[in-house]
Structure formats: C-alpha cells, structure tokens
Amino acid sequence: KMAKRKHADVQNSTSKKKTKEDIILPASRSSDEPVEKKSRWINKERVLIFSSRGVSYQARHLMNDLKNLMPHSKGDTKMDRKDKLFVINEMCEMKNCNKCLFFEMKKKQDLYMWISGVPRGPSGKFLVENVHTMEELKMTGNCLKSSRPLLSFDEKFETEPQYALMKELLIQTFSTPNHHPKSQPFTDHVFTFSIMDNRIWFRNYQILEEDGSLAEIGPRFVLNPIRIFEGSFGGPTLYQNPHYVSPNEYRRSLKSKSAYKYLDHRQAKDSRKQRTSKTTYNADKTEDVFKTSTD
C-alpha cells in the first residue's frame, strides 16, 4: 500500500509540473520591427568653458547660459590674469576636454572669446559685442534642457576660406555629440550663425512647429573675428581681419571727433566776428550839425 501511495504522489507531482510548463507562453513582439540596439557614444567631444578673473556680471551670465545650452561642456575655476594662455592646454588635458571656450576681459569693458581645439589647434580670437543674456531678454521661446541643437549657417561661410575654417571650428565646439549620456534625444532648438558687417551673429531659436515657425530663446551676441592661429592659443597666424578696429582705437576716434567738434565751433565763432563789422551802416559825420535843441 505504501508503495502504491508513493507512486501516486510521483504521478501527481509530474502532472503538476507539466501543467505549469504549459501555462508559460513564448515571448512575442507586437510588431515585426527588429529590436533597436543601444548605440555607443563614439564622438566624445568635450568643451571646457571658463573665464579669467575680472569678468563682468554680463559675461558671467553669458558663460552660464552657454553651459546650460551645451550638455557636453565642463566648467572650471577662474584663471589668474597673470598666467599665460598656454596653461589652458594643460587644464583641458586634466579635464579630458578636446575644445575650449575661454572668456577674457580687458579694462573691465572689452570682452574677448577664445575658441580653440586642444591641443593641436586651430584657435580663434574674437571680440564679443552686443551681449544680451537669457535673463535680460525675457524672450517667449523655451527649450528642453540638455537637448541637441540644430546648427544653421549662412551661405557666406562657403564663400571665403577663413569663414569655412571658422564654420568647422564652430561645428565641433557647439554641436552636441550624438548619444551623449547627458543629452536628451530631442532637437527642439536651433543655433544660427550668420555673417553681416564682417561679423558673426549668434542667435538661438525654439522650433515651435513642423512648418518652421521659430521663437527666439536667447542669448544673443556678435563675434568680431580678430585672428585665427594655427596652434592652440598661439602659433603662426592663418588669418588676420583687416576690417577689425580695436576698442581702444574706436574710443580714441570718438574723443578726437568731439575735440574736432569743439575746434570747428571756435573757428565758426572767429569767422563770424571777422565777417561782421562794428558799425551796421555808414553814417554821415555832419548829419547832426543843423540839429537845434528844443530846450
């Protein structure tokens, strides 16, 4: 009897196992599309964004805006103004950065931007003009933080070789690498670079709809190119802007114009005195001889 009971228990356990195995369904997909593989982060471009000591509040806010718009950027402490620019190459190597945006201010009013490829170059020095930050503008546009931007360039970038070199430098610096771990897989804003008056104008727009309607986000600034060097923060000069006028010369010209204005005013006064005579008309000296007094 005991043997029969054991045999019955074994049969019941095997039947239960079979029923459990039959309940499990095979894996299936809702569509026939292949499963997307996780792509690797191949383009490991990193940009170091920092400034020297003595920058203004407006330059500091502009630097923070660019950091927020570029998820592949890194920050660092301010550099001493006494240090040479070649030290920046070592700082970028310590931070594992391939590109660098360095802000430098002189005389507490002139802001310069260096865009460099570390460590072999090229590098460009620009004068930053007409700076307007996001908080200052209060535009209606808005975009997702850490989203990948589209880069739009003017047709004039293909006309001359120096602009083509600047275009490639801007593409490698401002474009967020594909599948970057800190970036979002969305493209909802556009960086536009246009050339006007021998300057590069930067604007940031939000893509509202698919028909191409845009709304400006900010910030906005103008880059006046000064020189392009072959190396990183130095080396042989590849291009020098002949239309560039330094801020010191511009302010000196304004002062000289005001001085010439004062001199012209004095010359006009002296010429007027020479042209006008003391007597308004020629009077006859014997006219009062025959006048009699009525007293």
Side-chain angles (χ1 to χ4, degrees):
K1 290 181 180 179
M2 293 293 292
K4 288 182 180 179
R5 285 179 182 176
K6 288 180 180 179
H7 184 67
D9 293 337
V10 171
Q11 285 182 352
N12 291 331
S13 62
T14 54
S15 63
K16 287 180 180 179
K17 287 181 180 180
K18 287 183 180 179
T19 54
K20 286 182 180 180
E21 289 177 0
D22 294 336
I23 291 171
I24 297 173
L25 298 175
S28 62
R29 294 195 305 262
S30 59
S31 62
D32 295 332
E33 296 179 359
V35 179
E36 294 183 359
K37 295 182 180 179
K38 291 184 179 180
S39 56
R40 297 176 60 189
W41 176 34
I42 300 172
N43 182 14
K44 296 188 178 182
E45 293 283 343
R46 299 182 183 89
V47 183
L48 182 65
I49 303 177
F50 71 111
S51 65
S52 64
R53 295 190 181 276
V55 295
S56 63
Y57 71 95
Q58 196 174 33
R60 190 172 65 253
H61 282 288
L62 175 63
M63 186 173 61
N64 293 331
D65 291 344
L66 292 177
K67 285 181 183 178
N68 293 329
L69 291 173
M70 300 165 66
H72 62 294
S73 63
K74 288 186 177 182
D76 202 353
T77 57
K78 295 179 181 179
M79 193 180 75
D80 195 2
R81 287 182 291 183
K82 295 180 181 179
D83 295 337
K84 294 183 179 180
L85 296 177
F86 293 103
V87 183
I88 301 176
N89 296 327
E90 298 178 1
M91 298 172 65
C92 292
E93 289 180 2
M94 293 172 62
K95 291 282 185 177
N96 295 326
C97 294
N98 305 334
K99 297 291 181 294
C100 180
L101 278 177
F102 178 66
F103 291 89
E104 185 182 11
M105 181 159 280
K106 295 182 179 179
K107 294 188 176 181
K108 297 182 180 180
Q109 54 184 346
D110 304 328
L111 180 63
Y112 296 91
M113 178 194 288
W114 284 84
I115 304 176
S116 176
V118 180
R120 299 182 179 179
S123 60
K125 185 178 181 181
F126 302 88
L127 175 66
V128 186
E129 300 173 343
N130 301 329
V131 178
H132 299 282
T133 58
M134 283 185 181
E135 296 180 357
E136 180 184 355
L137 289 173
K138 295 182 181 179
M139 293 291 184
T140 57
N142 191 11
C143 66
L144 183 68
K145 188 176 181 180
S146 303
S147 60
R148 299 183 68 244
L150 295 175
L151 299 184
S152 174
F153 288 90
D154 193 0
E155 295 179 353
K156 294 181 181 178
F157 278 97
E158 303 295 336
T159 56
E160 297 183 9
Q162 67 269 13
Y163 289 136
L165 182 59
M166 293 179 195
K167 177 182 177 181
E168 187 62 29
L169 193 61
L170 292 171
I171 287 173
Q172 295 182 12
T173 304
F174 285 92
S175 63
T176 303
N178 195 11
H179 305 294
H180 193 278
K182 291 185 179 180
S183 66
Q184 300 290 339
F186 305 104
T187 54
D188 57 351
H189 64 288
V190 186
F191 289 164
T192 60
F193 298 92
S194 56
I195 297 175
M196 188 181 296
D197 297 333
N198 300 313
R199 292 170 174 82
I200 300 174
W201 299 62
F202 174 84
R203 296 290 183 271
N204 183 20
Y205 295 99
Q206 177 195 0
I207 303 173
L208 295 176
E209 296 178 1
E210 296 181 358
D211 58 353
S213 57
L214 303 173
E216 189 173 356
I217 304 172
R220 56 165 67 172
F221 55 88
V222 180
L223 296 177
N224 190 359
I226 303 173
R227 282 192 182 187
I228 299 176
F229 301 94
E230 185 178 354
S232 178
F233 295 98
T237 302
L238 299 178
Y239 170 73
Q240 184 175 0
N241 189 6
H243 306 285
Y244 171 71
V245 179
S246 66
N248 293 330
E249 293 180 0
Y250 180 69
R251 287 190 287 267
R252 193 182 299 115
S253 64
L254 291 179
K255 288 183 179 179
S256 63
K257 284 182 182 178
S258 62
Y260 287 138
K261 186 177 180 180
Y262 174 74
L263 292 175
D264 293 340
H265 184 63
R266 294 298 304 174
Q267 288 178 1
K269 274 190 172 182
D270 294 338
S271 63
R272 185 178 180 184
K273 286 181 180 179
Q274 292 177 2
R275 284 186 282 107
T276 56
S277 59
K278 294 180 180 180
T279 56
T280 56
Y281 61 94
N282 295 325
D284 190 3
K285 295 179 180 180
T286 60
E287 193 175 12
D288 298 334
V289 173
F290 298 102
K291 281 187 178 181
T292 57
S293 60
T294 58
D295 295 339

